[in-house]
Amino acid sequence: MAEITATLVRELRDETGLPMMDCKKALTEAGGDKEKAKETLRKNGVALQGKRGDRETAFGRFGIYHGVDKSSGAVVELKCESAPVANSAEFIQLANDLAQALATGPGAKTADELLDQPSPSKPGKTLRDVKDDMFNRIREVFNVGRLMRFDGGTGAYSHNSGTVSGVLLLVEGGTNEAAKDVAMHVAAMRPLALNKEEIDPALVDKEREILKEAALKEGKPANIVDKMVEGRLRNFYAEKALLEQPFVKEPSLTVSKFAEAAGMKIKKFLHWELGRE
């Protein structure tokens, strides 16, 4: 058996980021073979992840890959157990790598499909390898949540202080700055749909009934109530439909008019808040 020297243990620790005692034990089991020891450490970490899989992952962030000149964009929800880890550079890198892989690779319908794809920033490793290595060093559970890819030009915004949220827009034309401005608007104003036609009809009918009842209580003639209600529904649409909303940075314009002035067509959007399906 090869001698397990302090230098060899230190090399393995530097390469894996794991405690000295764990590295020494793995080297002893591997007969001094450093690569075998790494594999042992990795397997031990995967086993430990399985035991801790039910831990709550209430923190995290959204990795986003976007650009109005790119062929696709994506957003991926990555969750962890604590705020310090969620704000660490390597966690941010993994979240963004997940989004980049989803946008530029073959696509994925599930977290497992995505994790088995190559890491954009760690050549020779899959995203799962990177995730497992991080768990081995940090000993926090990481869970990949929702993921979505839009094919076409995209704009995005991620808000990571207070309520963590991510916005992705599918656009045609425009600039990254204009698209980001609209994405920030979405995060602030939380529209329910792109336009009034896409609002849930049940919500519209409920609002219509509320407005009708209010008009009748005001003593309005029954024969004009329906027309009044349809007029008042414009305020409801302006509150719930993105394209109808007054643009937060220039309230004299609707989002639709702002986009038009920027030479941009907004085709679709998503707005996710961490942990809220």
Side-chain angles (χ1 to χ4, degrees), residues 63-252:
I64 300 179
Y65 182 85
H66 66 97
V68 297
D69 59 341
K70 298 184 185 303
S71 59
S72 60
V75 57
V76 177
E77 180 182 41
L78 182 61
K79 298 181 285 185
C80 61
E81 297 180 47
S82 70
V85 169
N87 291 317
S88 67
E90 62 181 334
F91 188 87
I92 294 170
Q93 183 68 61
L94 177 57
N96 289 332
D97 280 353
L98 285 162
Q100 182 177 344
L102 180 60
T104 61
K109 293 182 179 179
T110 67
D112 281 336
E113 286 182 16
L114 180 58
L115 286 168
D116 287 334
Q117 295 179 21
S119 165
S121 67
K122 301 286 192 301
K125 290 188 174 185
T126 65
L127 291 161
R128 190 184 302 279
D129 291 336
V130 177
K131 172 176 169 287
D132 289 347
D133 288 346
M134 284 177 58
F135 172 82
N136 246 349
R137 285 181 285 103
I138 300 172
R139 297 299 166 90
E140 277 202 14
V141 173
F142 306 114
N143 287 323
V144 177
R146 293 165 289 179
L147 49 124
M148 179 62 69
R149 167 172 159 168
F150 286 166
D151 290 323
T154 52
Y157 174 69
S158 180
H159 184 70
N160 290 302
S161 60
T163 300
V164 182
S165 65
V167 177
L168 186 67
L169 303 174
L170 179 63
V171 300
E172 188 177 292
T175 64
N176 286 327
E177 183 179 1
K180 181 180 179 180
D181 282 345
V182 175
M184 291 175 68
H185 171 101
V186 170
M189 303 309 294
R190 301 180 178 181
L192 295 180
L194 178 64
N195 52 50
K196 63 183 182 181
E197 289 77 19
E198 293 183 7
I199 298 176
D200 184 347
L203 288 178
V204 177
D205 289 342
K206 182 178 179 179
E207 183 68 15
R208 184 177 282 112
E209 288 301 314
I210 291 171
L211 292 173
K212 184 173 182 177
E213 183 178 347
L216 290 172
K217 285 183 178 179
E218 291 170 8
K220 304 299 182 184
N223 63 331
I224 67 167
V225 163
D226 287 343
K227 286 186 177 181
M228 288 182 59
V229 167
E230 293 308 311
R232 291 178 179 180
L233 273 174
R234 294 193 190 98
N235 292 331
F236 176 75
Y237 295 141
E239 179 184 350
K240 305 299 183 184
L242 173 60
L243 297 180
E244 304 284 337
Q245 290 180 332
F247 183 49
V248 289
K249 295 184 75 171
E250 183 51 71
S252 65

Side-chain angles (χ1 to χ4, degrees), residues 250-272:
E250 183 51 71
S252 65
L253 296 175
T254 63
V255 172
S256 176
K257 290 297 183 182
F258 168 77
E260 183 180 336
M264 180 173 67
K265 181 180 180 181
I266 304 168
K267 304 171 74 174
K268 186 188 297 186
F269 78 92
L270 67 77
H271 177 205
W272 287 342

